[in-house]
Amino acid sequence: MAALWKTCHQCLRYGFSNASIYTSITAVNVISKRNFKAHWVAPTLRELQRRKVIEEDRNGGPKIFHRSTFLEWNYDAEIFAFSNRLGEKFNDSSLRAALTHKSYIERETARLSDIGVESNLQFHDNEALAKKGGEIMSKFINGYLRAVFTQVPEELIRAMHDFLTSNATLETVAKHIGLGDLMLCADFPCKTETYVKSFKAVVAALAESSGEERARIFVQDLVVTQLYGQDVNELWNPVDPVGNLTAILKREGKAEPEFRLIRQAGSNSILAVYYVGVYSDKNFISEGAGESLEVAKEMAAREALKKLFHTEDSMRALPFGRQLKNIQSRIAQLENQPNVPLSEWISQKVMSAVH
Amino acid sequence: MSNSHLFLPSGFIRTPLQNGLGRYIPQLQRITLKFCKSHGGSRGVRDFIESDLMEFAKTNPGTVVYLKPRRHRSPCMVAEYLNGEREYLSCHEFSRDEVYKWLSYMCTRSGIPVMRFRKYQHTDYPTIQGVWNPFTHQAPEINVAEFPHEVLSKPNDQGPTATEQLIEIFKKTQMEDPANKPPN
């Protein structure tokens, strides 16, 4: 009997990963195996779960604990692992300062003075580091965008930069590199601003510890990659594409854009589609489709601008990681040189660029 | 297909935070090995700790390893990932090699729960030349054509009919007939 039980147990070790019916709201994934439990186990657990659900509904959510409240927690080991995980070397003091928030220092000093202990805590907060980190991160992002999107007007560069440095994007990045457990802050669960500040401070700490070059690669690997999968034309579009196209062609000395209807279907129905083509001096530039003639005309003008700026759907893939090795110097050079703004954009001005 | 995957969620393959695009970040944040110091069920875990654990910790410096001796409890490992997910695995009566195998399995996971992959590839850019629509590759002549049209009304892949082919064969035989050659 015991031998049979052991054989069953061993040969069912690779059991299918069913979600256990007793999962808590903080889903712990169990690589489950067949278990033979006594008859009272299931009803007991069911009752406990029922009571837990009632309690949590009353309190407005499950109880959450910071990871540092666990018995198995070693902050020094966590910091060591953090820097190794990213493959970077940090100065210990810079990294610790980058992860310490002003709110935490205030809370600690208040707590100690409440007890009556004289506190000469040697904590540095991350205010200055965060500010510096934000500036250098913007600089690195702009450098990359201008080196990769050479034909694009400065307005789109700014829109992409704003997307990459938005609180939502930076919070996601910060959470996924493990900053949530390492930050010393008074608020729990930590606010978005706390995450963003910590991340910016970490970038500054890296620049201090390993140099600007490594910090640039860090920002490119972690922040700029969030642009992947994002359609850049959703981030920014010129307000009057027809007017802008006319102005650009006029500045280049080409003929005025001529819009012609090239395809249509279902004009009497709800699902009407019109294809309008843009021609300059009888040369086809682009076509656009829409549910009405006006919409199709605007889409055609947008497509023409996308073609000029090299941001069509078929544009070249963005380079990341090792593909940036050869253009790092160019990126550094373009950090301080804004692209041509839309009001002055002509092809000749951007033709000399690389990529 | 079988029904055994009905409760297993399905999805498309993905990775947290575009991992690997810029640099690869090992997703295992920390692993906690809980074991009993004396019970027989923890023997494999104890042997693993004594022999292979240091090497594991050195090769994975981005993962924090916690050891938690717990009396009278069966051994287990809890892996925590950077996206906040936790994986629990009971290591009761595992051998030392099995512990090593499952530990290295935990290292290769991202925290995304086990699911049936619908496809083994994923792309954010499914089309480069643009999705086909009925107007793709249409001759522009249809815009100003009057129908019925000599060329456009016919199916464009229609070859010569049998009658036309016979006429062609007849013409060829006509040319080869020596009686039709002008006398020299």
Side-chain angles (χ1 to χ4, degrees):
Chain A
M1 188 58 208
L4 179 63
W5 146 246
K6 199 158 170 118
T7 323
C8 283
H9 181 67
Q10 275 170 2
C11 66
L12 290 166
R13 198 188 285 283
Y14 309 107
F16 34 85
S17 317
N18 292 344
S20 164
I21 58 168
Y22 304 117
T23 34
S24 61
I25 297 170
T26 55
V28 174
N29 299 311
V30 179
I31 298 173
S32 54
K33 302 184 281 216
R34 280 268 285 272
N35 280 318
F36 296 96
K37 299 253 189 266
H39 70 279
W40 46 261
V41 173
T44 311
L45 290 174
R46 229 174 266 137
E47 176 59 23
L48 290 175
Q49 174 75 354
R50 192 187 71 87
R51 292 185 192 185
K52 187 176 169 193
V53 165
I54 292 169
E55 195 62 38
E56 282 174 5
D57 283 341
R58 199 181 299 152
N59 294 338
K63 257 194 241 180
I64 41 171
F65 303 97
H66 196 267
R67 188 64 179 75
S68 57
T69 57
F70 286 32
L71 202 61
E72 56 270 20
W73 177 256
N74 184 338
Y75 193 61
D76 300 327
E78 294 281 341
I79 294 232
F80 175 80
F82 174 76
S83 49
N84 276 298
R85 184 183 305 144
L86 300 169
E88 305 285 355
K89 285 192 177 51
F90 286 91
N91 289 344
D92 201 50
S93 52
S94 302
L95 183 56
R96 282 173 196 266
L99 295 167
T100 314
H101 285 257
K102 211 163 63 165
S103 54
Y104 176 80
I105 301 173
E106 285 165 7
R107 190 188 69 174
E108 288 299 300
T109 41
R111 192 170 62 88
L112 287 174
S113 60
D114 280 347
I115 302 173
V117 174
E118 184 56 51
S119 62
N120 26 358
L121 298 165
Q122 295 293 328
F123 282 124
H124 298 280
D125 66 19
N126 61 2
E127 294 289 324
L129 277 173
K131 192 152 166 292
K132 182 164 163 251
E135 284 163 10
I136 60 177
M137 198 167 61
S138 284
K139 197 172 70 157
F140 295 152
I141 291 172
N142 278 329
Y144 173 93
L145 292 173
R146 286 171 191 148
V148 168
F149 293 96
T150 47
Q151 328 270 57
V152 145
E154 185 61 20
E155 283 87 342
L156 178 51
I157 302 277
R158 203 172 306 140
M160 288 192 277
H161 162 272
D162 291 344
F163 165 75
L164 287 173
T165 51
S166 64
N167 278 355
T169 314
L170 290 181
E171 190 195 357
T172 316
V173 178
K175 276 185 176 164
H176 279 88
I177 58 174
L179 280 183
D181 300 326
L182 293 172
M183 294 191 298
L184 298 172
C185 49
D187 48 329
F188 179 73
C190 302
K191 298 203 263 289
T192 311
E193 295 83 36
T194 317
Y195 277 109
V196 172
K197 219 183 221 178
S198 292
F199 185 74
K200 289 181 178 169
V202 163
V203 173
L206 181 60
E208 256 181 36
S209 317
S210 305
E212 215 179 82
E213 189 62 41
R214 289 238 38 122
R216 185 179 293 122
I217 295 172
F218 180 79
V219 170
Q220 283 164 2
D221 282 348
L222 270 113
V223 183
V224 182
T225 47
Q226 301 310 304
L227 200 55
Y228 179 82
Q230 181 80 20
D231 183 7
V232 297
N233 296 303
E234 279 178 19
L235 297 174
W236 176 84
N237 260 301
V239 176
D240 176 24
V242 177
N244 280 313
L245 179 64
T246 319
I248 288 171
L249 287 174
K250 188 163 161 207
R251 258 177 262 137
E252 291 178 6
K254 296 207 180 111
E256 220 185 37
E258 201 185 324
F259 294 87
R260 291 278 183 106
L261 179 67
I262 48 181
R263 310 262 191 234
Q264 71 176 48
S267 23
N268 289 335
S269 67
I270 307 171
L271 297 175
V273 60
Y274 299 93
Y275 271 76
V276 166
V278 191
Y279 295 84
S280 168
D281 194 22
K282 297 188 188 169
N283 293 323
F284 176 79
I285 304 178
S286 68
E287 64 175 355
E291 62 264 27
S292 70
L293 281 169
E294 292 77 25
V295 172
K297 184 176 171 188
E298 194 186 312
M299 294 307 290
R302 279 199 195 176
E303 278 297 320
L305 288 174
K306 275 158 66 168
K307 257 206 179 97
L308 291 171
F309 302 151
H310 286 52
T311 54
E312 321 105 298
D313 293 342
S314 57
M315 66 184 260
R316 281 184 80 166
L318 299 177
F320 293 115
R322 287 177 301 181
Q323 296 160 332
L324 293 173
K325 215 160 48 150
N326 295 332
I327 59 169
Q328 288 291 7
S329 53
R330 183 105 187 100
I331 291 172
Q333 202 183 352
L334 288 172
E335 274 165 13
N336 297 316
Q337 285 179 33
N339 269 17
V340 184
L342 189 57
S343 48
E344 301 166 14
W345 198 96
I346 51 171
S347 318
Q348 283 81 11
K349 272 195 190 167
V350 298
M351 204 57 87
S352 54
V354 190
H355 191 85
Chain B
M1 286 305 294
S2 68
N3 287 332
S4 62
H5 294 148
L6 273 183
F7 292 114
L8 193 64
S10 66
F12 293 95
I13 193 164
R14 58 192 162 101
T15 177
L17 205 71
Q18 320 289 5
N19 198 18
L21 197 61
R23 66 180 63 178
Y24 173 69
I25 299 173
Q27 290 296 308
L28 185 60
Q29 200 178 8
R30 55 185 82 88
I31 183 124
T32 309
L33 291 169
K34 297 182 190 173
F35 60 101
C36 177
K37 279 189 189 169
S38 54
H39 197 267
S42 305
R43 184 163 61 115
V45 178
R46 288 198 301 270
D47 290 342
F48 172 80
I49 292 168
E50 280 165 18
S51 48
D52 299 325
L53 183 68
M54 287 308 294
E55 196 191 306
F56 171 81
K58 285 200 184 102
T59 43
N60 304 70
T63 306
V64 190
V65 179
Y66 290 108
L67 294 177
K68 202 169 175 185
R70 282 309 206 206
R71 269 192 323 168
H72 311 314
R73 263 173 252 199
S74 52
C76 68
M77 59 167 89
V78 177
E80 282 161 76
Y81 292 96
L82 285 174
N83 64 351
E85 295 278 346
R86 308 175 112 226
E87 286 273 345
Y88 167 93
L89 174 67
S90 163
C91 304
H92 187 68
E93 299 214 354
F94 274 21
S95 70
R96 174 185 139 190
D97 295 322
E98 277 176 316
V99 176
Y100 182 69
K101 171 187 117 173
W102 284 105
L103 198 53
S104 44
Y105 163 79
M106 295 296 198
C107 283
T108 60
R109 299 277 314 278
S110 71
I112 294 169
V114 168
M115 56 174 157
R116 174 182 66 86
F117 287 137
R118 294 184 203 169
K119 291 197 172 111
Y120 287 103
Q121 59 271 355
H122 168 81
T123 175
D124 283 302
Y125 306 101
T127 177
I128 294 174
Q129 298 181 33
V131 181
W132 181 92
N133 58 67
F135 292 126
T136 316
H137 305 313
Q138 284 290 13
E141 286 81 21
I142 58 173
N143 288 338
V144 291
E146 291 281 334
F147 288 96
H149 193 259
E150 204 178 58
V151 174
L152 293 171
S153 292
K154 296 209 179 87
N156 59 3
D157 56 348
Q158 191 186 49
T161 59
T163 314
E164 286 167 17
Q165 285 183 42
L166 281 172
I167 293 169
E168 283 300 316
I169 293 167
F170 178 68
K171 281 198 186 134
K172 274 199 193 132
T173 56
Q174 290 285 69
M175 280 154 60
E176 283 173 37
D177 195 345
N180 285 351
K181 268 193 192 159
N184 290 342

